[in-house]
Amino acid sequence: MVYGMQLPVQSQSTLYAEPWEATATAADLAEVARAADRAGFGYVATCDHVAIPRRLAGPMSTIWYDPVATLSFLAGITEHVRLLSHVAILGLRHPLISAKQYATLDHLSGGRLILGVGAGHVQEEFEVLGVDFARRGAVLDETLDALRAALGPEEYPEFEGELFSFKDLGQLPRPAQERIPVWVGGSSPAAVRRAALRGDGWLPQGDPREKLPAQIARIKELRAGAGVAGPVEFGAITEALYVGEPGWDTGRRALTGKAEALAESLREYKALGVDQIQVRFRNRDRAELVDQITAFGAEVAPLLND
C-alpha cells in the first residue's frame, strides 16, 4: 500500500492548515517535500484555485499556490517522490494550455507526474474566466478526453469535440511517461462515474472508512459495464496522525500512538480495497512535521504491508 501526503504551506484552508503555516516560506515547503522524498513517500500533492472570492476567504483563505509552478519547483529539489495535483481544476483552462504545462512538468521531472483532477466548486472562479459553472462537469469530461490526446505520444495531437477541437498544432516536449496517470477526485455520484470511465485512479473526498467499499464496488461495476480495461488505483484520505505520544491536544479524531498501533489501523484500508493512502500529520512547526514524516517512513511504513 502506497502512502503520500498533501503538502503544507501551499494551500491554507482553515479545515486543515496548522497555525505556523501562515508565516511559512518556500524554504519550509522545500524542506517538508525533501523529508517526504527521503522517507519513501509515494507522492507529494498540491491544490489548485485561481482566485478566492471574499465571501469564502475566511474559511478558505486566499493562499493557494499554483500547482504547476509549485510541482515544478519541487521536481527540481526532490529525486524519487511522485508529483500529484490534488486536484487540478482543469475546466478553468483550455486543454492545450494544460497539456503544455503538464507535459513539460512530466518531461522535466523524469516522468513523476500524477494528474489529479476535479470539477471545482467556486462559482466566481468560473465566471471570471468565462467558463460555464453549471456545466463544469461536462466541461471537465471533454477536457479530460482532449487531454488524453494532447498528452499522448503524438507531436501533432488531434481532437474533435463539442467545446474543443485541434489538429496540426505541434507541442514538444512530450511527457516522459507513455501514459500520464489521471486520478479523479471527489465522492459525488458524478465524480465516482468520472473516475470509473475516465480515470486511472480515484481520490475520495471526505468518505469515512465504512463508505469506501461501496464506492470502490460502484467504480468497478461502472468500469465493467462500460468495458473499460486496465488497472485502477483506489485512494483514501486517512484520519490525522501523530506517531508517538504527542503530549498536546491533537484533536479527538487524530490517530496517535506507537508505530505498531498506527500501522494496524491503517492496514484496514488495504482490507477495504484501498491501494494508496494520503496521510496528514498534526504538528506545531516545520521541525515537528519533518520529525513526523521521518518517523512514519522509518517506523510505520515498513509495517503497512505486513
Side-chain angles (χ1 to χ4, degrees), residues 12-305:
Q12 294 190 31
S13 167
T14 58
L15 291 176
Y16 48 76
E18 301 286 4
W20 69 269
E21 296 177 45
T23 56
T25 66
D28 297 309
L29 177 64
E31 184 51 38
V32 172
R34 289 191 189 102
D37 195 29
R38 293 191 300 266
F41 277 61
Y43 67 79
V44 291
T46 64
C47 296
D48 181 24
H49 277 291
V50 171
I52 306 301
R54 287 186 186 274
R55 69 179 179 88
L56 296 176
M60 289 184 67
S61 90
T62 57
I63 301 175
W64 297 84
Y65 288 25
D66 178 80
V68 178
T70 306
L71 292 174
S72 297
F73 166 68
L74 298 174
I77 61 170
T78 57
E79 296 181 2
H80 307 292
V81 69
R82 304 199 74 183
L83 308 163
L84 168 65
S85 58
H86 183 197
V87 289
I89 309 173
L90 294 180
L92 297 176
R93 305 163 180 92
H94 192 284
L96 283 183
I97 292 177
S98 293
K100 170 60 72 174
Q101 293 175 314
Y102 286 106
T104 302
L105 171 56
D106 193 64
H107 176 81
L108 291 175
S109 68
R112 288 193 278 147
L113 172 67
I114 303 170
L115 184 56
V117 305
H121 67 94
V122 179
Q123 184 169 349
E124 289 90 336
E125 278 187 307
F126 286 79
E127 291 174 344
V128 75
L129 296 172
V131 183
D132 188 346
F133 178 74
R135 297 192 65 230
R136 64 193 183 279
V139 171
L140 176 56
D141 287 344
E142 185 167 317
T143 299
L144 285 174
D145 293 343
L147 271 176
R148 283 295 190 197
L151 289 173
E154 299 299 325
E155 179 181 353
Y156 293 89
E158 295 188 12
F159 179 78
E160 184 69 37
E162 178 186 346
L163 301 171
F164 309 110
S165 62
F166 46 82
K167 66 177 182 177
D168 299 326
L169 293 167
Q171 286 192 326
L172 292 178
R174 305 313 302 153
Q177 297 179 85
E178 183 176 338
R179 178 184 174 93
I180 290 177
V182 173
W183 291 359
V184 177
S187 296
S188 69
V192 168
R193 175 174 289 276
R194 185 173 296 115
L197 301 185
R198 288 180 165 84
D200 304 300
W202 175 57
L203 291 161
Q205 186 64 43
D207 279 330
R209 297 189 189 203
E210 61 268 20
K211 288 189 176 182
L212 291 173
Q215 295 276 55
I216 290 171
R218 176 60 175 159
I219 291 173
K220 290 180 177 179
E221 176 189 18
L222 288 168
R223 287 173 73 86
V228 179
V232 59
E233 294 188 67
F234 296 106
I237 299 176
T238 74
E239 303 84 352
L241 306 177
Y242 194 94
V243 184
E245 298 303 329
W248 56 283
D249 185 9
T250 55
R252 63 184 179 88
R253 292 186 175 87
L255 299 179
T256 67
K258 294 181 179 180
E260 293 81 0
L262 292 180
E264 182 179 5
S265 178
L266 295 176
R267 281 197 300 267
E268 293 178 7
Y269 282 103
K270 189 174 183 179
L272 298 175
V274 169
D275 303 297
Q276 61 88 8
I277 52 173
Q278 184 173 122
V279 298
R280 180 174 67 88
F281 303 99
R282 293 303 318 275
N283 60 94
R284 292 166 293 180
D285 53 34
R286 186 188 86 181
E288 187 170 32
L289 177 54
V290 168
D291 286 346
Q292 282 291 301
I293 290 169
T294 304
F296 186 89
E299 301 170 24
V300 181
L303 306 176
L304 287 180
N305 298 295

